[in-house]
Amino acid sequence: MCERWVENPYYQYFCGEEFFQHRLVFDRSSLTRWRNRMGEERLQALLQESLAAATKTEAIKPSELSRVIVDTTVQPKNVMFPTDAKLLNRAREKLVRLAKLRGVALRQSYARVGKFALIQQQRYAHAKQFKRAKKTLKTLRTYLGRDITRKIEGDSGHEAAFAQLL
C-alpha cells in the first residue's frame, strides 16, 4: 500500500495531499501501529460508518451492498505445480501409508531413495538435462508400486483396497 501511495496521485489526493509527493511522508510501521491501536471493533465500526456515509450521499445504493465480488487473481497463491515426479512420489507415500494401515509388510518403503530421486529429477529438469530427468522419472515409476503389487498379488481383499491408488 505504501508503494502504491508513492506512485498514485489519486491515493495522495484522497488522503488530503495538495501536491504530488515523490517519497513516503509517513513511516511504514505507523500504519500497522495505528491498526493495532484501533483494534478490530473500531475498524469494523469505521467501515460501517464509511458505508453509511456513502449510502447517505448516494455514492452507492444499498442494493449494491447485497453481494460482494472479490477478485484475487493478482494475489500470490500457495499452489504447487503438479509435475509427474511430484505426483508419483505423493502416490508412493499414500500407498506406503495404506500398506501400513492394512498390515501389509513391505520389504522397502523407498522413503529415502524416493525423495532423493524426486530431488534429482527436479534438478535434472531445471538444468535441461532431460534424458537424465526422464530416466529418474522412470525410476520413480518403478518405486511407485513395486513391493506392494508383489505382496498383495492373489489376495482379493488387499487387491480391492489398493485398486484405486494403484
Side-chain angles (χ1 to χ4, degrees):
M1 187 179 129
C2 294
E3 291 171 4
R4 286 187 180 167
W5 190 89
V6 170
E7 68 185 27
N8 194 336
Y10 297 109
Y11 277 12
Q12 293 183 18
Y13 181 75
F14 178 75
C15 291
E17 292 291 332
E18 293 182 23
F19 300 102
F20 182 70
Q21 303 287 329
H22 294 282
R23 60 181 176 76
L24 202 57
V25 294
F26 53 88
D27 190 47
R28 291 175 184 273
S29 60
S30 63
L31 281 174
T32 307
R33 290 189 187 121
W34 178 79
R35 196 170 40 236
N36 289 338
R37 261 197 323 263
M38 287 290 285
E40 194 171 332
E41 294 171 359
R42 287 183 181 165
L43 285 174
Q44 201 169 25
L46 181 67
L47 179 63
Q48 287 176 347
E49 194 60 37
S50 301
L51 292 173
T55 53
K56 279 182 191 173
T57 59
E58 297 179 359
I60 57 172
K61 298 174 191 168
S63 62
E64 292 174 351
L65 298 174
S66 64
R67 185 170 40 156
V68 177
I69 299 172
V70 179
D71 183 18
T72 63
T73 53
V74 180
Q75 289 183 333
K77 307 286 190 290
N78 189 15
V79 176
M80 187 171 35
F81 188 75
T83 61
D84 288 345
K86 287 180 189 175
L87 292 173
L88 285 170
N89 191 50
R90 190 167 299 136
R92 182 196 52 77
E93 290 171 352
K94 286 182 179 182
L95 280 170
V96 169
R97 200 173 312 129
L98 183 63
K100 283 183 183 177
L101 226 145
R102 301 282 299 187
V104 177
L106 298 177
R107 185 180 59 84
Q108 186 175 357
S109 68
Y110 298 101
R112 216 168 3 97
V113 292
K115 185 177 178 181
F116 180 73
L118 171 67
I119 292 168
Q120 283 301 108
Q121 194 278 339
Q122 291 171 338
R123 286 180 181 167
Y124 289 145
H126 179 72
K128 295 185 170 57
Q129 298 174 1
F130 296 116
K131 284 184 182 178
R132 289 179 177 171
K134 191 174 178 181
K135 185 179 177 185
T136 313
L137 189 65
K138 187 178 176 186
T139 305
L140 278 168
R141 264 197 203 99
T142 306
Y143 291 161
L144 178 59
R146 177 190 276 174
D147 276 356
I148 294 172
T149 51
R150 289 181 192 159
K151 293 285 184 173
I152 66 170
E153 200 170 16
D155 187 357
S156 60
H158 285 313
E159 283 180 353
F162 285 92
Q164 185 182 4
L165 280 176
L166 284 174

